[in-house]
Amino acid sequence: MKAPDFLGALFVSGLLFCSNAIFCQESEKCDSVNLGKIITYIDSPLTTGEFYDNSVIEKSGSTNLSDFLTSQGHTVMNTGGTGSMSNVSIKGYAGFCIKVYIDGVLANNPATGEFDWNQISLDSISSIEIQDFPVENQMQFAGSVVKITTKRFGVSKFTSTSQVTSYEGSPADTLQQSADFRIFTKNAAFKIGGDARIAANEYLTPKNKVNLYNDSKLTQIAASWNLYTKNGSLSATGFFGTNKIKAQNTGKSYDQGVENDINARFTFKHIIWGKKIWHTYGSNYNLTDVEYDESVLVHNSTVVHNLEGYYYLDFKNTGISLYNTFSAEWSKTMDAFRPQLQIKLAYEKQLFPWMIFYGSLGFDMWTNLQNSWSWSNVNFELLPFVRLVFPHGFSAAAFREFVLPSFNQLYWNGAGGVGNPDLENEYGWSGLVSWKKWPVIQLTFQTSWYGNKIRWTSINNTLMPDNTESAWYFAATAASEKSWKYFDYSARINFTRAMLEDGNQIMWVPFLTGALNLGFHYKKLDFNVSGSYTGKRYQQNDNSAGCYDRYFLLDLAQTINISKNLNITVKVSNLLDDRYQYHDGFYAPGRSYSVFLRLKS
């Protein structure tokens, strides 16, 4: 037995020994927090899924969001090093199927449909929730949704984190500085924060060769404003970020293969707290500019805009909610336009002392337009959802899955291929059963059939996306967490069978993943041990090209709380120096060392 296999077997055995539920809490739909005359409502975790608060994130010593998700047992593939393009797989679903909401606003890139996992600093996050079914007003869903809540009330007025990460190539491959300020008044709050990072990522590959020109330069700034009165709330947010990436194997010089992603988001939201009806209306704007240099002289740039307006009604004491959303995506560079109308009616009621019912019916109408209007292009989808909650932590859900192709998949015409305007939406049916007992045990079984899967394939010697075969997914998850005065642990193990029509496992999807995190706390010292295992993954969909090596990552983090407002963390990532391959020649970094200095006031 090879060392990774032995360590993986030992690790999975340990997970099975202590397996129970992960960072979940029993809760109501929302909790009310009274801040003097300021009353705000904060979403809290549901009875299924995974929930991580800021203390868990900070103790992990993770360098970024992708690093944290890896430590929790999720498969994260990237093109190499800090700040590079990342693809997170949750139970076999990845890319544009994973929808990410930041403070309730969809943050996926409107061009690619994917989320840039470098887009948000860990220090700005208050909590992360991962759910296996659609939430709130969400319409498009496949596999999982990630809800990120940023820090607001009840936290420090100022935070600053300085980070240095070193691979074997130099003493300071990555330099990062993030900071944010919060100002509170009698009935208002204002927040502004920034993040800057320079990453060289010049670590050694297994053949003792330094992967040169593998850099990332990131800058971000975000701000929010919240006003609270006895009758309602008013809020606005703004975000602008750019990440200039040069990934391994994408060119022979820094000027070739460079991708410069620009993201901007602006939101407005107004809630009127009526006695019988809560009115919520607002708008969100999302811009992305993706630039790629096919060569020194050939430059490609794609700009996509997304604008949506919404109006929600929550009929208090009736369990009825109505969501109305109109959105539009457009791109002059692609000469494309896609309007959407979404309506969702939801109803929640405790039908019996032993059962809570939640049901919704969504209607989505859209059309893909290029050059001219045609009623023949108008499409619609009905999206039913039912969820039942029983005593002793049992719950069950059944729902329709549905994802529209992204603008790149429809209309891309640049480096690497062309789009396919005839693509149809992906769709499917899913059902899950979950058992969460006390705060320490959770078992989830989920199955789904998924059709019209979109894949980039070679058609007439041209790379383009196509609706290919259907797939069947089955995922079983066991998880647990428990905390004592000096010790806490969390554990998670997941088995995924992602099978195509021919019975083969979908490439890059591991059968088995797991994570075990141990925390030791004594006086001013916090010590964290994090291990994650990723099992066999096929290289191709026909399963004939063999598998990527299994790998086991072991991280150690030591935090010294120098004072109430100052701490320092030293972390060793990939302690065993496992030089595993993400995919297609992209190798993960070996052992690295990081130092974090956090200041709060």
Side-chain angles (χ1 to χ4, degrees):
M1 181 179 290
K2 295 181 179 180
D5 295 338
F6 173 75
L7 289 170
L10 184 65
F11 179 62
V12 169
S13 300
L15 286 180
L16 293 174
F17 177 75
C18 64
S19 182
N20 299 304
I22 191 163
F23 295 109
C24 294
Q25 308 167 12
E26 290 286 350
S27 68
E28 299 175 348
K29 186 176 181 181
C30 64
D31 294 332
S32 173
V33 178
N34 195 331
L35 302 169
K37 291 189 176 181
I38 301 174
I39 299 178
T40 181
Y41 290 82
I42 302 173
D43 290 334
S44 54
L46 302 175
T47 53
T48 62
E50 306 165 38
F51 180 79
Y52 313 96
D53 63 19
N54 175 254
S55 63
V56 174
I57 298 170
E58 188 171 302
K59 289 176 184 176
S60 71
S62 299
T63 56
N64 50 59
L65 182 55
S66 297
D67 186 34
F68 176 76
L69 293 174
T70 297
S71 72
Q72 305 306 315
H74 298 290
T75 301
V76 180
M77 299 176 291
N78 65 42
T79 55
T82 302
S84 61
M85 293 174 286
S86 300
N87 192 359
V88 174
S89 173
I90 300 177
K91 297 182 179 180
Y93 289 92
F96 76 116
C97 288
I98 305 297
K99 302 302 181 184
V100 180
Y101 289 80
I102 299 179
D103 293 332
V105 178
L106 182 64
N108 288 57
N109 186 317
T112 64
E114 301 182 10
F115 178 69
D116 179 6
W117 298 94
N118 300 292
Q119 190 180 120
I120 186 168
S121 168
L122 273 182
D123 281 329
S124 67
I125 296 177
S126 174
S127 65
I128 301 171
E129 182 180 336
I130 302 176
Q131 278 295 347
D132 301 317
F133 50 76
V135 295
E136 297 154 358
N137 63 311
Q138 183 183 8
M139 302 289 278
Q140 293 193 52
F141 178 89
S144 291
V145 56
V146 179
K147 295 172 60 180
I148 297 175
T149 302
T150 60
K151 295 176 181 176
R152 296 181 183 177
F153 296 103
V155 294
S156 303
K157 296 180 180 179
F158 169 74
T159 59
S160 173
T161 299
S162 303
Q163 172 193 336
V164 177
T165 298
S166 173
Y167 304 116
E168 63 271 38
S170 68
D173 294 270
T174 298
L175 300 174
Q176 183 170 356
Q177 175 64 50
S178 61
D180 61 74
F181 300 85
R182 301 177 188 86
I183 301 174
F184 309 133
T185 64
K186 185 177 180 180
N187 60 349
F190 177 77
K191 178 180 68 175
I192 185 169
D195 191 20
R197 180 172 59 212
I198 300 175
N201 297 330
E202 295 185 351
Y203 53 86
L204 300 176
T205 63
K207 295 182 179 180
N208 210 34
K209 178 183 177 182
V210 177
N211 55 351
L212 299 173
Y213 308 114
N214 186 35
D215 300 343
S216 169
K217 296 180 180 178
L218 176 146
T219 55
Q220 298 174 347
I221 187 169
S224 67
W225 174 75
N226 302 269
L227 174 66
Y228 295 88
T229 69
K230 64 179 182 179
N231 297 319
S233 68
L234 186 67
S235 62
T237 64
F239 169 86
F240 178 82
T242 177
N243 190 16
K244 188 173 184 179
I245 302 170
K246 176 65 181 73
Q248 180 188 13
N249 297 335
T250 56
K252 296 180 180 179
S253 71
Y254 191 82
D255 294 323
Q256 182 179 348
V258 172
E259 181 177 318
N260 187 1
D261 291 335
I262 296 175
N263 287 96
R265 291 194 309 275
F266 303 95
T267 72
F268 166 80
K269 185 176 183 180
H270 186 203
I271 304 176
I272 302 174
W273 302 336
K275 292 182 178 180
K276 295 183 178 181
I277 303 176
W278 278 26
H279 302 261
T280 301
Y281 61 90
S283 62
N284 306 319
Y285 172 72
N286 197 347
L287 163 73
T288 182
D289 182 354
V290 179
E291 302 180 19
Y292 188 89
D293 295 331
E294 188 174 1
S295 67
V296 177
L297 299 178
V298 180
H299 179 77
N300 294 282
S301 179
T302 301
V303 179
V304 178
H305 306 262
N306 175 270
L307 177 65
E308 74 173 24
Y310 57 87
Y311 180 56
Y312 307 152
L313 294 174
D314 188 356
F315 298 88
K316 292 298 175 181
N317 303 318
T318 66
I320 299 175
S321 300
L322 178 64
Y323 304 93
N324 299 277
T325 304
F326 176 78
S327 64
E329 296 171 284
W330 71 93
S331 172
K332 291 186 63 176
T333 54
M334 294 182 179
D335 192 24
F337 176 67
R338 176 164 66 190
Q340 262 187 289
L341 174 64
Q342 300 174 331
I343 301 173
K344 183 176 181 179
L345 180 65
Y347 178 66
E348 182 177 3
K349 185 176 180 60
Q350 183 161 348
L351 298 179
F352 307 101
W354 47 270
M355 186 180 75
I356 298 174
F357 169 84
Y358 177 87
S360 68
L361 180 63
F363 173 82
D364 195 332
M365 183 173 69
W366 75 96
T367 182
N368 298 321
L369 302 175
Q370 198 174 29
N371 301 318
S372 63
W373 168 270
S374 172
W375 280 105
S376 62
N377 291 333
V378 177
N379 304 276
F380 68 89
E381 188 82 25
L382 290 176
L383 303 169
F385 176 90
V386 174
R387 182 168 182 256
L388 303 175
V389 180
F390 303 97
H392 307 295
F394 284 100
S395 65
F399 49 89
R400 178 78 163 171
E401 296 189 358
F402 164 77
V403 177
L404 290 175
S406 68
F407 261 32
N408 274 11
Q409 292 169 336
L410 289 168
Y411 307 118
W412 176 255
N413 186 16
V418 297
N420 181 357
D422 296 323
L423 284 175
E424 298 180 6
N425 60 285
E426 295 189 0
Y427 63 90
W429 290 93
S430 185
L432 67 89
V433 177
S434 179
W435 179 47
K436 172 184 172 290
K437 185 63 176 175
W438 305 299
V440 293
I441 185 168
Q442 179 178 319
L443 299 173
T444 301
F445 302 92
Q446 184 170 2
T447 183
S448 61
W449 174 86
Y450 210 64
N452 272 357
K453 289 191 68 65
I454 298 174
R455 292 194 184 89
W456 287 82
T457 57
S458 180
I459 301 177
N460 297 325
N461 297 320
T462 301
L463 189 65
M464 64 184 300
D466 191 24
N467 292 113
T468 57
E469 53 197 325
S470 302
W472 172 75
Y473 290 80
F474 172 77
T477 303
S480 172
E481 67 94 11
K482 184 66 176 177
S483 178
W484 294 272
K485 183 177 181 180
Y486 298 112
F487 171 71
D488 61 69
Y489 79 90
S490 66
R492 179 179 181 275
I493 182 172
N494 184 81
F495 171 80
T496 300
R497 184 72 169 98
M499 183 172 63
L500 296 170
E501 291 175 322
D502 55 12
N504 291 322
Q505 179 85 348
I506 296 177
M507 65 181 183
W508 302 354
V509 177
F511 286 96
L512 193 65
T513 59
L516 178 62
N517 291 274
L518 305 175
F520 305 91
H521 318 286
Y522 182 72
K523 293 185 178 180
K524 294 185 177 182
L525 301 178
D526 294 314
F527 182 68
N528 184 269
V529 181
S530 173
S532 61
Y533 171 77
T534 299
K536 182 170 67 174
R537 298 176 296 140
Y538 283 106
Q539 298 184 31
Q540 300 293 336
N541 280 327
D542 61 10
N543 294 178
S544 62
C547 300
Y548 296 110
D549 290 337
R550 304 168 177 85
Y551 58 90
F552 176 78
L553 302 180
L554 181 63
D555 299 343
L556 304 179
Q558 173 72 70
T559 298
I560 303 173
N561 299 297
I562 300 173
S563 67
K564 181 180 178 180
N565 297 323
L566 179 65
N567 66 51
I568 184 170
T569 299
V570 179
K571 182 179 182 182
V572 182
S573 301
N574 195 0
L575 179 66
L576 304 179
D577 203 26
D578 194 347
R579 303 302 176 95
Y580 64 96
Q581 188 176 187
Y582 283 120
H583 60 91
D584 297 347
F586 290 105
Y587 283 89
R591 186 184 300 115
S592 64
Y593 305 89
S594 300
V595 178
F596 304 83
L597 182 66
R598 293 186 178 92
L599 174 64
K600 305 176 183 178
S601 64

